[in-house]
Amino acid sequence: MSQAVDDDDRPYRRRRQRRAAIVIAVVLLGLAGAFYYASTYFRDTAPKPQPCTTELVPAPLTPQDVSLNVYNSTRRSGLAAAVAKQAGTRGFKVKAVGNDPRGESVKQVAQIRFGPEGEASAKLLKTHVPQAVLVNDKRKGDTVDLVVGAAWKSFGKVPVVATPTQTLRPCPTVTVTQ
């Protein structure tokens, strides 16, 4: 058998080359589109610079900032002095020590008496005496009274103070020369 060979098979070869070139071009365009999509995806998910701030983060209240009166409402003598000494070792500024000036008998562990200005100080003291009861007596000033009751044993654990973190980056300082 003889093989039939077309003397002029150039058009067939050209069509085949053209088809291969088109397929390669389509594949390359598809890959280029995929890379473009991927780059926009990663560019959109990259962290963006946040606005800056010039506000200062307020420092949290510490025991050194709290003025405290320690009063004994029980019949146990020397209890207020012992509690005042412990409060001093925790950093509180103890102003007055003595028997409860109201003469009340507190059955709980303790009462923390405060006014509107001393609310933050009272809440800080409550973290040191978690069983204490907060009593807002509408007094003036930020001084807080710790009235030790019949169920008093000791202060609670020293609370862990979280350090404030910078949430916004500080604004850059710009120096202008004239």
Side-chain angles (χ1 to χ4, degrees), residues 86-99:
Q86 287 177 342
T89 59
R90 289 192 179 221
F92 292 100
K93 290 188 281 187
V94 179
K95 292 175 108 178
V97 178
N99 290 327

Side-chain angles (χ1 to χ4, degrees), residues 23-167:
V23 168
I24 290 174
V26 168
V27 168
L28 288 177
L29 282 173
L31 282 174
F35 281 119
Y36 176 75
Y37 175 76
S39 70
T40 59
Y41 176 77
F42 287 115
R43 184 176 41 221
D44 290 343
T45 59
K48 293 178 178 59
Q50 298 295 321
C52 63
T53 180
T54 55
E55 296 177 25
L56 295 175
V57 178
L61 198 61
T62 62
Q64 291 81 11
D65 302 326
V66 177
S67 296
L68 180 68
N69 297 324
V70 181
Y71 297 125
N72 184 1
S73 71
T74 68
R75 295 185 185 263
R76 299 185 340 208
S77 63
L79 181 60
V83 171
K85 185 176 179 182
Q86 287 177 342
T89 59
R90 289 192 179 221
F92 292 100
K93 290 188 281 187
V94 179
K95 292 175 108 178
V97 178
N99 290 327
D100 185 11
R102 292 187 186 175
E104 294 179 10
S105 178
V106 176
K107 304 285 187 232
Q108 306 101 340
V109 172
Q111 279 186 356
I112 299 173
R113 298 178 187 155
F114 62 96
E117 297 172 23
E119 186 174 0
S121 299
K123 287 180 180 176
L124 175 67
L125 181 58
K126 178 132 172 77
T127 62
H128 288 264
V129 187
Q131 304 87 6
V133 177
L134 293 173
V135 178
N136 187 346
D137 60 3
K138 312 283 193 258
R139 72 176 66 189
K140 301 251 189 248
D142 63 348
T143 301
V144 175
D145 293 347
L146 175 62
V147 183
V148 182
W152 176 268
K153 290 197 175 56
S154 67
F155 278 93
K157 293 181 180 179
V158 177
V160 177
V161 179
T163 57
T165 58
Q166 187 75 21
T167 56

